[in-house]
């Protein structure tokens, strides 16, 4: 079901609540441990279609700013869930592909994140089969984000059409190196190497 079929809470009210949620998360006694664990996840960051859509992607330089973007997005989603009648489908608002990828690194710390969310009193909603990568500047997510924190960093908030264009470029480059279907298959025979 499309996000547009829901009566979403106002972007402004979601923004206000999201700021409160993010502040509470950052003030939590386990926030530093959560941050360290999420950033350490970098050894598992091998997605060919998430972070690489960032121009001149550099894990070391980009992971901290992406953590902030991921936290802001989880806060927006928690606010939508809370204010929108706890509807999981509604909560999956459009997100830029690199930011979504960072949220996966954060959610890979389930115990820490669950304890923080419980103390803050929010639900963290992120379900891969319902997520939307069709973020475009000016949409609901963008409007709520701007109301909370100002314009999102375009380096990470790559619009849907541009992300798809970049993915086509990446796919062609991966294929030249023997990686097919954007890294979902390859033609490397390790015995022969």
């Amino acid at each position: 079901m499309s996000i547009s079929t829901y009566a979403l809470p106002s972007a402004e009210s979601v923004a206000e609540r999201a700021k409160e949620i993010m502040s509470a998360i950052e003030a939590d006694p386990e926030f530093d441990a959560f941050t360290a664990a999420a950033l350490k996840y970098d050894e598992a960051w091998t997605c060919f279609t998430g972070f690489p859509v960032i121009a001149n992607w550099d894990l070391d330089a980009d992971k901290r700013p992406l953590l902030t973007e991921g936290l802001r997005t989880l806060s927006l989603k928690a606010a939508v869930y809370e204010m929108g009648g706890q509807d999981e489908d509604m909560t999956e608002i459009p997100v830029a592909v690199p930011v979504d990828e960072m949220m996966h690194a954060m959610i890979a710390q389930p115990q820490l994140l669950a304890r923080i969310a419980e103390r803050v009193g929010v639900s963290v909603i992120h379900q891969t089969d319902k997520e939307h990568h069709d973020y475009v500047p000016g949409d609901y997510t963008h409007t709520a984000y701007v109301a909370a924190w100002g314009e999102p960093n375009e380096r990470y908030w790559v619009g849907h059409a541009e992300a798809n264009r970049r993915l086509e470029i990446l796919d062609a480059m991966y294929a030249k190196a023997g990686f097919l279907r954007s890294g979902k298959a390859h033609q490397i025979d390790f015995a022969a190497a």
Side-chain angles (χ1 to χ4, degrees), residues 36-154:
L39 293 177
K40 190 170 178 64
Y41 187 74
D42 62 357
E43 291 298 320
W45 291 359
T46 56
C47 178
F48 285 69
T49 59
F51 297 126
V53 302
I54 297 170
N56 302 303
W57 159 244
D58 181 328
L59 174 66
D60 293 331
D62 289 315
K63 65 184 179 181
R64 282 209 171 268
L66 271 166
L67 181 78
T68 298
E69 298 305 327
L71 283 169
R72 288 175 174 175
T73 305
L74 284 178
S75 297
L76 285 171
K77 291 173 66 171
V80 169
Y81 183 74
E82 181 180 295
M83 301 174 83
Q86 299 184 342
D87 185 313
E88 291 180 16
D89 291 323
M90 178 190 295
T91 303
E92 291 296 349
I93 57 177
V95 177
V97 173
V99 177
D100 178 69
E101 194 65 30
M102 185 65 211
M103 287 192 298
H104 292 182
M106 296 163 67
I107 291 168
Q109 319 312 317
Q111 293 83 5
L112 281 167
L113 187 55
R115 287 193 300 267
I116 292 169
E118 183 176 353
R119 283 189 293 268
V120 171
V122 297
S123 294
V124 174
I125 305 297
H126 190 80
Q127 192 162 322
T128 303
D129 66 336
K130 295 181 181 186
E131 65 189 8
H132 292 275
H133 295 134
D134 50 354
Y135 163 80
V136 289
D139 71 6
Y140 179 85
T141 304
H142 181 257
T143 303
Y145 186 107
V146 169
W149 300 287
E151 283 294 330
N153 187 332
E154 291 179 358

